[in-house]
Amino acid sequence: MSELNTSTTEKYHNNFLREVEENVEEGEWVKMCMQCGVCSGSCPLGAHWAHPPQELFMMIRAGKREAVLSSDSMWMCTSCYNCVVRCPRKLPITGIMHGLASYANKLGMAPKIQPTRDFSLQFWKNCTRTGRVNELRLTLGLYFNDGLMAGIKKGWAMRNIGLGLLKAGRLNPFELFKGHSCKDQQGIQAMLKKAAEIEARRKHSTH
Amino acid sequence: MATPIATSQTILVVGGGISGMTAALEAAECGKQVILVEKSPTLGGRTALMYRYFPKLCHPICGLEINLRRLKGNRNVRVLTLAEVSKISGTRGNYAVTLNVAPRYINENCTACGECAKAVTKEIPNPYNYGLNQMKVAYLPHKMAYPLRYVLDPSAIGTADADAARAACKYDAIDLNMQREAVELTVGAVIWATGWKPYDAAKIQPYGYDRYPNVITSLEFERMADLHGPTGGKLLRPSDGKEAKNIAFIQCAGSRDENHLRHCSRICCMASLKQTQYVREAYGADGKSTIYYIDIRAIDRFEDFYLKVQNDPTVSFVKSKVARIAQDGNSGDLTLHGVDTEGYHRYANVHDLVVLAIGMEPAVKGVDIPAEIIADSSGFLESAPGGSIFGAGCASGPLDVNRSVQHATAAALRAIQVVNKSASTEAS
Ligand SMILES: Cc1cc2nc3c(=O)[nH]c(=O)nc-3n(C[C@H](O)[C@H](O)[C@H](O)COP(=O)(O)OP(=O)(O)OC[C@H]3O[C@@H](n4cnc5c(N)ncnc54)[C@H](O)[C@@H]3O)c2cc1C
């Protein structure tokens, strides 16, 4: 268990709903759910979720902390917003899903092998380093995620698209080595640091 | 038409449904002068369009007939149909009211013999069956109509139909020169009983009311079950006229939804529970009703009725708000998609007819009332600032008939208090 996880468990005891309200982005909406089920029925990927949103909300209220935070369900959300437009109580369900995912990640409880989480982490690392997304590195990083052979195979399968991009001037192979960055890299780092500070303060001051 | 005599001791009741009739009669039977103004050609309102009433499943004819008898026997009430209020000004105890009265083109001589309807040819959508069938341009609104007098639709005026109707009438009842007129009144208090209207079902996009013929509203279903309705009492699918035997009822269609109506319409749970019994009446054990619901709101003594329906093996309940409906293009059957709340099972259930338990909204939204009044966030009338304009029945909130009648009686009492006061100040 991560240190943060241990300390929050101690703080909230069995009141997981309160923990969600105080720490998860949009978490204060969870108690407004009236369990009608329209979100779950409207989700285009719903059949692939272990726990659709309606069920996650009930699990939160029932204090099923472990099951919720280690679930891969909220990582399945594609942000189509179908549930949000249909929710009769106007809950920002998409936002809650992302909030739960990011909170689980912060506590180190998110499922380790989960493609969405994997991609998000790689994307974040990639773009915050230089202030620009290095598409070639990001793509190759994903290709080689499952090992060397798998990466080569995938690259080979995609070769024609790669060549096409190269010809059209949309792909620069030298990006693999250094890659271009934004002008004020230090500025970007300072901005991100400040944003993290503001976020921490905001969650704190609202409660 | 003679202008009704009215004074600051007269009570004006606007809307001639069960609530308006009750308020008018209660006040009149206390000896007050009452003018009852109804927009349509007949009294009765929405209750006259019900097949049966919950919870006793009696016919609405019964309750209406009692009120019509009271009305015929009371000289204190003046009824004006085809009339609307266009302006109210003044203060508590002393209002100047302008009415706008539309021509009926048929006068008091009418005996309701029906010869005019036989003589005319043109047909228009029948509003008393929610447009599910057509009616002649000379018509009697329905069997319970009061006054029991035909109406000539304005669209017939200037056509051969109007002359044919006049020629067919043996009683000289058809007067094609009738004009729209404005009537000015002075009254002491106003009771606003304009009732409700169904929420526009087409706005609930995922249910496809505007696209799928076999998705209908609870009001249309009510008419279908009625012997005098468009299908002669048969429960038929609009798409192919086949008998519908596997029927889904979707609760909270528009109600309790921030995207549509914020409020709970209160009567729809009971209405659907009642309508499952129409299915049973039609097919016995061969019919099947399924109610999709968030929670069933059968308040106080209605719980008994709910328990009775729960014990009916032809009725099943799915605790889930349906997410969307898809139609099979060939059969016209409908698949209801959703996830239930008792175990979170994903379902795709096929039904041959879907009835939307449609929510109620005020027929006249607060802001449209031509006087200063206070309405709630759904437009139901709450009160008038310091005044004496009182809401009665469904104009003030979604109510069943019983509660509308109680509410209307209370409104009558408040109006009586106002006119009594103006009577005593005039005397002194
Ligand atoms: C599907 C369904 C089934 C139902 N079944 C039952 C049941 O079984 N039992 C039960 O108790 N209740 C039932 N109800 C509820 C019932 O319909 C209402 O309680 C009842 O209609 C309320 O009567 P009201 O007079 O307040 O309004 P209304 O019946 O709406 O009457 C209002 C009257 O005012 C008139 N009006 C409107 N605007 C104006 C204007 N501007 N000027 C003049 N006149 C105007 C209208 O023409 C109408 O005649 C049901 C409702 C629904 C939706």
Side-chain angles (χ1 to χ4, degrees):
Chain A
M1 234 190 212
S2 76
E3 215 171 282
L4 181 62
N5 192 7
T6 317
S7 63
T8 37
T9 318
E10 272 165 17
K11 182 170 172 202
Y12 293 103
H13 297 287
N14 289 326
N15 199 339
F16 184 41
L17 176 62
R18 221 186 92 214
E19 177 181 344
V20 168
E21 285 174 344
E22 294 184 5
N23 296 282
V24 172
E25 187 134 13
E26 310 279 20
E28 60 277 15
W29 281 94
V30 170
K31 62 172 173 289
M32 290 301 289
C33 170
M34 65 170 164
Q35 291 290 303
C36 73
V38 156
C39 52
S40 307
S42 302
C43 179
L45 286 178
H48 306 284
W49 294 40
H51 314 293
Q54 171 202 19
E55 189 179 1
L56 278 177
F57 297 153
M58 203 59 193
M59 286 165 75
I60 292 172
R61 273 141 64 163
K64 301 205 167 197
R65 185 173 190 273
E66 178 78 32
V68 170
L69 294 175
S70 60
S71 168
D72 81 335
S73 293
M74 52 272 196
W75 297 94
M76 302 290 286
C77 173
T78 60
S79 308
C80 76
Y81 288 88
N82 223 2
C83 54
V84 177
V85 296
R86 287 189 190 162
C87 174
R89 290 262 173 106
K90 287 202 166 158
L91 265 69
I93 299 166
T94 304
I96 305 173
M97 292 302 118
H98 296 325
L100 281 172
S102 120
Y103 185 58
N105 185 59
K106 200 162 110 188
L107 294 180
M109 292 180 75
K112 292 291 170 295
I113 312 161
Q114 211 291 326
T116 315
R117 175 172 171 272
D118 228 51
F119 175 76
S120 308
L121 292 176
Q122 285 199 40
F123 183 91
W124 185 249
K125 217 167 102 192
N126 180 305
C127 84
T128 52
R129 205 169 57 91
T130 62
R132 275 188 198 280
V133 177
N134 185 319
E135 287 181 352
L136 193 57
R137 280 197 190 179
L138 184 64
T139 318
L140 289 178
L142 286 173
Y143 284 6
F144 287 93
N145 230 7
D146 304 328
L148 188 67
M149 276 317 287
I152 294 174
K153 253 194 190 153
K154 228 179 233 159
W156 182 249
M158 298 293 281
R159 67 190 184 283
N160 286 336
I161 293 180
L163 279 174
L165 284 170
L166 197 67
K167 270 190 218 149
R170 311 299 299 166
L171 191 152
N172 179 0
F174 295 107
E175 286 280 305
L176 200 52
F177 304 107
K178 182 148 182 308
H180 66 300
S181 56
C182 71
K183 277 186 199 140
D184 183 8
Q185 275 203 56
Q186 271 173 352
I188 288 279
Q189 300 307 330
M191 256 169 60
L192 288 170
K193 199 165 150 235
K194 189 81 191 168
E197 268 173 40
I198 293 172
E199 192 190 344
R201 210 183 320 138
R202 198 189 50 196
K203 263 292 162 194
H204 235 74
S205 64
T206 48
H207 302 288
Chain B
M1 182 194 294
T3 304
I5 304 148
T7 68
S8 63
Q9 284 159 51
T10 304
I11 296 169
L12 172 69
V13 179
V14 187
I18 193 75
S19 304
M21 286 167 77
T22 302
L25 284 165
E26 294 296 343
E29 286 171 5
C30 286
K32 301 299 161 195
Q33 294 300 311
V34 178
I35 293 172
L36 176 56
V37 169
E38 164 60 46
K39 183 171 78 173
S40 81
T42 176
L43 298 185
R46 304 264 175 198
T47 43
L49 309 180
M50 301 282 149
Y51 170 47
R52 285 167 185 269
Y53 276 171
F54 60 72
K56 288 198 223 155
L57 298 187
C58 44
H59 291 278
I61 293 183
C62 173
L64 281 178
E65 199 160 82
I66 293 170
N67 276 328
L68 290 179
R69 274 246 306 280
R70 284 167 79 190
L71 197 64
K72 285 172 197 160
N74 197 305
R75 314 200 52 172
N76 293 339
V77 190
R78 286 285 313 252
V79 176
L80 294 177
T81 50
L82 288 165
E84 272 184 273
V85 174
S86 55
K87 194 163 170 252
I88 300 181
S89 58
T91 50
R92 186 180 170 87
N94 189 10
Y95 290 103
V97 178
T98 311
L99 303 180
N100 190 332
V101 186
R104 186 183 193 101
Y105 302 110
I106 297 186
N107 64 28
E108 293 84 347
N109 293 345
C110 177
T111 63
C113 71
E115 288 302 321
C116 55
K118 284 184 203 151
V120 300
T121 52
K122 194 183 162 211
E123 295 197 332
I124 50 174
N126 182 348
Y128 304 97
N129 285 329
Y130 298 100
L132 291 173
N133 66 352
Q134 302 280 109
M135 64 177 194
K136 291 281 191 68
V137 279
Y139 64 94
L140 190 65
H142 49 71
K143 296 280 174 275
M144 295 293 300
Y146 180 92
L148 188 63
R149 207 193 298 166
Y150 272 64
V151 189
L152 195 58
D153 190 78
S155 70
I157 303 306
T159 70
D161 270 341
D163 298 324
R166 197 168 57 165
C169 183
K170 288 187 241 98
Y171 304 98
D172 202 16
I174 298 191
D175 175 0
L176 299 176
N177 295 322
M178 276 188 190
Q179 298 294 325
R180 183 173 281 278
E181 52 182 329
V183 176
E184 310 273 338
L185 299 173
T186 305
V187 299
V190 180
I191 294 175
W192 202 268
T194 46
W196 60 280
K197 65 178 178 194
Y199 182 68
D200 179 3
K203 285 189 187 159
I204 313 169
Q205 191 273 344
Y207 293 167
Y209 176 77
D210 56 339
R211 308 185 294 283
Y212 310 147
N214 295 332
V215 176
I216 63 171
T217 68
S218 46
L219 296 131
E220 289 163 349
F221 192 70
E222 201 71 41
R223 294 311 305 141
M224 258 191 205
D226 194 329
L227 276 173
H228 302 299
T231 54
K234 292 215 165 74
L235 309 178
L236 305 180
R237 307 207 311 172
S239 73
D240 51 18
K242 282 194 197 139
E243 283 190 332
K245 291 193 167 171
N246 174 10
I247 303 176
F249 295 89
I250 299 186
Q251 298 312 113
C252 299
S255 308
R256 297 173 71 193
D257 191 329
E258 293 286 339
N259 302 305
H260 302 287
L261 302 172
R262 308 192 63 206
H263 57 270
C264 164
S265 297
R266 278 187 258 179
I267 51 85
C268 334
C269 283
M270 279 302 291
S272 291
L273 290 170
K274 170 184 78 172
Q275 291 180 345
T276 65
Q277 299 306 296
Y278 299 172
V279 182
R280 167 168 271 284
E281 185 185 26
Y283 308 118
D286 291 341
K288 204 170 150 254
S289 303
T290 311
I291 296 190
Y292 294 83
Y293 69 103
I294 304 175
D295 38 51
I296 295 288
R297 296 187 166 180
I299 47 175
D300 58 57
R301 71 192 172 95
F302 291 151
E303 186 80 18
D304 277 349
F305 190 79
Y306 177 30
L307 286 176
K308 201 182 122 212
V309 176
Q310 274 182 313
N311 288 328
D312 181 340
T314 68
V315 185
S316 43
F317 292 83
V318 178
K319 186 170 172 64
S320 167
K321 184 172 167 85
V322 173
R324 81 187 160 90
I325 298 175
Q327 179 188 244
D328 181 294
N330 292 326
S331 65
D333 287 350
L334 303 152
T335 305
L336 275 53
H337 292 276
V339 172
D340 74 31
T341 305
E342 291 171 324
Y344 306 105
H345 309 103
R346 191 164 294 274
Y347 60 81
N349 297 345
V350 181
H351 294 277
D352 47 24
L353 184 74
V354 173
V355 179
L356 304 179
I358 200 75
M360 285 176 150
E361 48 178 352
V364 179
K365 291 265 178 85
V367 284
D368 296 337
I369 297 176
E372 204 189 335
I373 61 104
I374 299 165
D376 69 12
S377 63
S378 298
F380 289 110
L381 195 140
E382 287 198 322
S383 62
S388 42
I389 299 179
F390 306 109
C394 283
S396 68
L399 298 170
D400 57 57
V401 169
N402 181 31
R403 285 175 177 79
S404 293
V405 167
Q406 290 173 4
H407 194 261
T409 307
L413 185 58
R414 292 164 113 195
I416 290 169
Q417 287 166 352
V418 172
V419 295
N420 275 359
K421 198 156 192 182
S422 50
S424 61
T425 43
E426 267 164 38
S428 59

